[in-house]
Amino acid sequence: MGAVMTEEQAQGPQVGVHAESVTLVMEAVPAVAPVQPVSFLVDLPAYAGPLDLLLSLIRDEKVDIYDIPIAHIARQFLLRVRVLQLNDAAEYLELAARLLRIKAQMLLPRHGEMEKWEDPRAELVRRLLEYQQMREVVDILERRGDERRSRFARAWLQESGESVAAPLSLSLGELLTAVDRILRVTREPTVHTIVARTLDVAGAIAMVRSVIAERRNARWGELVARDAEPWQILSMLLALLELAKLGELRLAQPRPFASVEIEHDSSGEAA
Amino acid sequence: MIHLVKLLEAALFASPRPVPVEELTALASEASPAEIASALDALRVHYDVDGHGVELAEIGGGWQILTRAEYTGAIERAQLAARPQRLSAAALETLAIIAYRQPIGRMEVEEIRGVAVGSILKSLQERALIDVVGRAEGLGRPLLYGTTPLFLEQFALRHLEELPRADELAIALRPAPQPL
Amino acid sequence: MIHLVKLLEAALFASPRPVPVEELTALASEASPAEIASALDALRVHYDVDGHGVELAEIGGGWQILTRAEYTGAIERAQLAARPQRLSAAALETLAIIAYRQPIGRMEVEEIRGVAVGSILKSLQERALIDVVGRAEGLGRPLLYGTTPLFLEQFALRHLEELPRADELAIALRPAPQPL
């Protein structure tokens, strides 16, 4: 973790992992290919989020952030998620799924022009660098904050009666915050919680392409998990429509309410 | 200044209340009560003789550093001139309700906020952000409040319709339907 | 000490927060900004050279007297004052993003951190380190957050520009590597 690890993390819960416990974990996760048993003790600190976990993994494994061995890192990531019992944290699972998808994309045959090949890891690298940059700022803030905390300001408050004569400082932001407080406590039905979840059409497109490349056809039910969230369903739907528009596949529904069949469109390739 | 005097100065500065001598002895276990007393005296003399803006005072069985009385008037005036006051959260909420629901009576505001607002209305009126704009029909003909031109000026608004999300609030703050 | 230095010392002593430069100017209207600056310097030197338990610091667009770090341990042990709690790693990350990207909405912060930050934003706002500074255009007109003067104070920053610029950080964002 080096300089990036905060003192708080260092003081956080430490999880010691022995080879035995790792083996047990591996058996419980059949989706993960078995790895060489770890023969040393690993100390796992608490993480501030999935990107923090991924970043420290990259550092621990001493791999180049611009050329991440995605299969290996994805496996290690899942392993740590299991060991740290982060399975319930949607954010960690989401990143795990992303890593697996990138892994699948890396396996795709790159036909023809290599210049047009986009590294599926590019977006992840960009996010990791952005996150790492932010952690650098955290280090600065932490150092300055500690410096300031080691000095006391005057604590005693001089009595000074609130005077109406003083000019007022009022901002629209303050008024709007007040409005939000009122809205929260008055008519509950008018308050909507908007879940921050953007669509991931690009991810869905990549997934369909990898499936179609392998099997030539698939059905809706195989692409979208039964317990998929609305944003996943929407992403997949948009992805399929986009790919059909591009002529990469054909969509057919044999009868009403039947699962949509997705087929590789070879006519598009010939053209 | 010797070390003990500097330590006492820092401690008295950082403490939110006057500090009794017994508590000061906890600062430096190696110092005797007599040494603490003489260090306090050294600090007092330093402030007085060297000519400082502060002084050491014994108040209610404890010691405290205070600004000298001759400067308090100037400090208060400078604060008033340079440090604009902010409205409390309660006052802001009351002001927001009046802005979006005017003309509105005190009881309706209290219904929405769930607490009495009599004194807040008075102080908002003193600050000329709201004013009485009429009287409602019905029992007791209660006073109705609305915002003033100064209110618009404070938020750099040309007219009330420029307030953001008026539609949302108009719905949320709609009066409850009357029982039939 | 000359009168102006004593007046400034008294004003700085009286305030638990950094005193903004405007307030110091309002304190002595007959003094020029240069005279104020040199009086502040005289006070700083006096504290340093004369050997005091306190020192003068420039923080958050103002000036503040603080105890010297070497006395903090003793003051805490004597329970005369307590240090504020450190922020969690999650809160610091959120604060760092807001400091650099302000004004910024919740969703953008979540995109960078990769986790939900709703409750952290609320607690940072309660601690007055961030505040709502406006609303974005677009769907739902989400609230935009920015840092407060208290943020500067608690991180001993004179102003936001004291933080390194994004391109001065060790890991400046590089363009993605070109495919082979």
Side-chain angles (χ1 to χ4, degrees):
Chain A
M1 295 289 287
V4 178
M5 194 175 74
T6 63
E7 196 179 308
E8 221 128 326
Q9 283 177 314
Q11 290 165 349
Q14 304 277 316
V15 184
V17 186
H18 294 275
E20 294 86 342
S21 62
V22 170
T23 316
L24 274 177
V25 164
M26 296 318 302
E27 280 161 5
V29 197
V32 182
V35 289
Q36 293 291 312
V38 188
S39 55
F40 52 89
L41 190 84
V42 200
D43 274 335
L44 298 176
Y47 295 102
L51 289 170
D52 188 20
L53 171 54
L54 183 57
L55 204 57
S56 47
L57 201 55
I58 285 170
R59 208 169 293 117
D60 293 351
E61 301 280 319
K62 297 190 174 60
V63 303
D64 179 4
I65 198 166
Y66 289 101
D67 189 17
I68 302 170
I70 215 79
H72 174 66
I73 289 295
R75 201 159 53 226
Q76 294 292 322
F77 186 85
L78 277 170
L79 186 61
R80 288 209 189 178
V81 165
R82 273 284 152 145
V83 170
L84 290 171
Q85 297 184 318
L86 298 167
N87 318 40
D88 294 335
E91 292 112 353
Y92 287 88
L93 296 185
E94 201 179 316
L95 185 58
R98 190 177 293 266
L99 289 172
L100 292 177
R101 205 173 55 228
I102 295 175
K103 178 182 146 190
Q105 284 170 279
M106 297 289 288
L107 294 174
L108 279 188
R110 305 170 199 166
H111 20 192
E113 312 130 60
M114 288 294 282
E115 309 90 69
K116 281 178 73 181
W117 184 71
E118 260 183 55
D119 193 328
R121 298 168 298 182
E123 171 63 14
L124 183 68
V125 171
R126 188 196 63 76
R127 283 192 66 189
L128 277 173
L129 289 175
E130 186 178 50
Y131 183 77
Q132 207 173 353
Q133 193 180 36
M134 185 272 302
R135 291 304 300 263
E136 203 179 329
V137 178
V138 167
D139 285 347
I140 297 170
L141 287 183
E142 202 155 46
R143 208 165 49 240
R144 303 290 294 245
D146 280 350
E147 232 171 80
R148 174 60 188 81
R149 282 175 65 256
S150 71
R151 289 163 167 80
F152 291 111
R154 178 122 198 256
W156 193 65
L157 287 173
Q158 207 124 18
E159 288 296 320
S160 85
E162 268 209 19
S163 168
V164 174
L168 258 189
S169 149
L170 270 184
S171 71
L172 208 49
E174 280 180 304
L175 192 74
L176 288 173
T177 312
V179 163
D180 279 316
R181 281 198 305 269
I182 298 166
L183 282 178
R184 267 207 302 276
V185 297
T186 47
R187 303 292 164 89
E188 296 212 327
T190 61
V191 182
H192 301 282
T193 314
I194 296 161
V195 178
R197 179 78 73 189
T198 45
L199 296 183
D200 185 6
V201 180
I205 286 180
M207 181 186 163
V208 175
R209 277 186 177 146
S210 68
V211 170
I212 293 297
E214 218 173 275
R215 324 186 353 202
R216 313 297 285 178
N217 64 61
R219 279 191 304 189
W220 172 262
E222 297 170 299
L223 293 175
V224 182
R226 200 170 298 167
D227 57 355
E229 287 184 51
W231 70 273
Q232 291 170 314
I233 297 171
L234 264 177
S235 303
M236 182 52 72
L237 185 64
L238 291 173
L240 288 176
L241 292 175
E242 178 67 15
L243 287 170
K245 199 181 81 186
L246 290 172
E248 288 190 38
L249 47 78
R250 271 197 305 268
L251 304 175
Q253 193 174 25
R255 54 187 187 283
F257 304 111
S259 189
V260 174
E261 288 178 8
I262 298 129
E263 204 175 31
H264 179 75
D265 192 346
S266 45
S267 64
E269 224 168 47
Chain B
M1 281 198 202
I2 64 161
H3 174 78
L4 185 58
V5 179
K6 290 193 271 188
L7 177 57
L8 289 181
E9 183 185 41
L12 292 174
F13 178 79
S15 168
R17 59 206 157 70
V19 187
V21 176
E22 309 85 68
E23 287 182 40
L24 289 175
T25 51
L27 274 172
S29 49
E30 73 284 1
S32 68
E35 282 170 316
I36 299 269
S38 97
L40 280 170
D41 210 47
L43 186 61
R44 187 180 55 73
V45 170
H46 175 85
Y47 284 156
D48 288 350
V49 174
D50 210 39
H52 273 261
V54 295
E55 61 189 347
L56 189 62
E58 193 177 4
I59 292 171
W63 292 87
Q64 190 161 37
I65 302 172
L66 293 175
T67 53
R68 285 184 194 274
E70 57 200 285
Y71 301 117
T72 51
I75 292 168
E76 262 169 42
R77 279 192 302 277
Q79 279 178 359
L80 285 187
R83 204 178 286 177
Q85 283 198 317
R86 300 176 60 162
L87 284 186
S88 68
L92 274 169
E93 284 173 22
T94 306
L95 189 58
I97 291 168
I98 294 172
Y100 284 95
R101 277 286 309 279
Q102 57 189 300
I104 185 173
R106 196 193 70 193
M107 277 179 59
E108 293 163 84
V109 178
E110 289 178 344
E111 235 167 70
I112 296 172
R113 286 211 53 232
V115 290
V117 296
S119 63
I120 293 177
L121 287 181
K122 195 159 155 281
S123 110
L124 286 175
Q125 211 179 344
E126 275 170 11
R127 290 178 185 277
L129 292 169
I130 63 165
D131 209 349
V132 173
V133 294
R135 273 180 186 279
E137 300 299 317
L139 194 67
R141 309 211 57 219
L143 297 174
L144 293 176
Y145 295 90
T147 54
T148 62
L150 184 71
F151 168 85
L152 293 177
E153 200 182 302
Q154 281 282 346
F155 295 108
L157 300 169
R158 271 168 303 175
H159 39 72
L160 281 171
E161 286 69 39
E162 276 189 347
L163 275 175
R165 61 191 280 182
D167 44 348
E168 202 177 323
L169 262 196
I171 296 166
L173 299 181
R174 202 165 39 200
Q178 294 301 310
L180 296 173
Chain C
M1 283 197 199
I2 64 163
H3 173 76
L4 184 57
V5 179
K6 288 194 272 187
L7 180 57
L8 289 181
E9 182 187 40
L12 293 169
F13 239 92
S15 172
R17 310 277 318 271
V19 182
V21 176
E22 307 87 67
E23 196 174 311
L24 294 176
T25 330
L27 208 52
S29 48
E30 74 283 359
S32 69
E35 282 170 315
I36 300 263
S38 92
L40 282 169
D41 211 47
L43 186 61
R44 186 179 55 72
V45 170
H46 175 85
Y47 285 156
D48 288 350
V49 174
D50 209 39
H52 271 260
V54 294
E55 61 188 345
L56 188 60
E58 191 181 0
I59 284 174
W63 293 82
Q64 187 171 29
I65 298 176
L66 296 173
T67 60
R68 286 182 195 275
E70 56 201 284
Y71 303 115
T72 303
I75 293 171
E76 258 192 328
R77 278 193 297 279
Q79 295 183 346
L80 295 176
R83 292 211 260 173
Q85 278 198 320
R86 298 182 73 186
L87 289 180
S88 69
L92 273 172
E93 284 189 5
T94 307
L95 208 46
I97 293 168
I98 295 174
Y100 269 76
R101 301 282 177 92
Q102 59 189 306
I104 184 173
R106 198 194 67 192
M107 276 180 60
E108 293 162 86
V109 178
E110 289 180 343
E111 241 174 65
I112 298 175
R113 284 207 52 222
V115 292
V117 297
S119 63
I120 292 178
L121 287 181
K122 200 161 153 278
S123 98
L124 287 175
Q125 207 181 347
E126 274 163 14
R127 295 179 77 147
L129 293 170
I130 63 167
D131 208 350
V132 173
V133 295
R135 272 179 187 280
E137 298 299 317
L139 193 68
R141 309 212 58 219
L143 298 174
L144 294 176
Y145 297 90
T147 54
T148 62
L150 189 68
F151 164 77
L152 294 175
E153 184 186 335
Q154 295 209 347
F155 292 91
L157 296 166
R158 265 172 293 181
H159 37 69
L160 278 174
E161 289 71 41
E162 219 184 327
L163 288 172
R165 283 202 321 269
D167 57 357
E168 290 169 344
L169 295 169
I171 313 143
L173 289 184
R174 284 197 270 157
Q178 293 303 307
L180 298 171

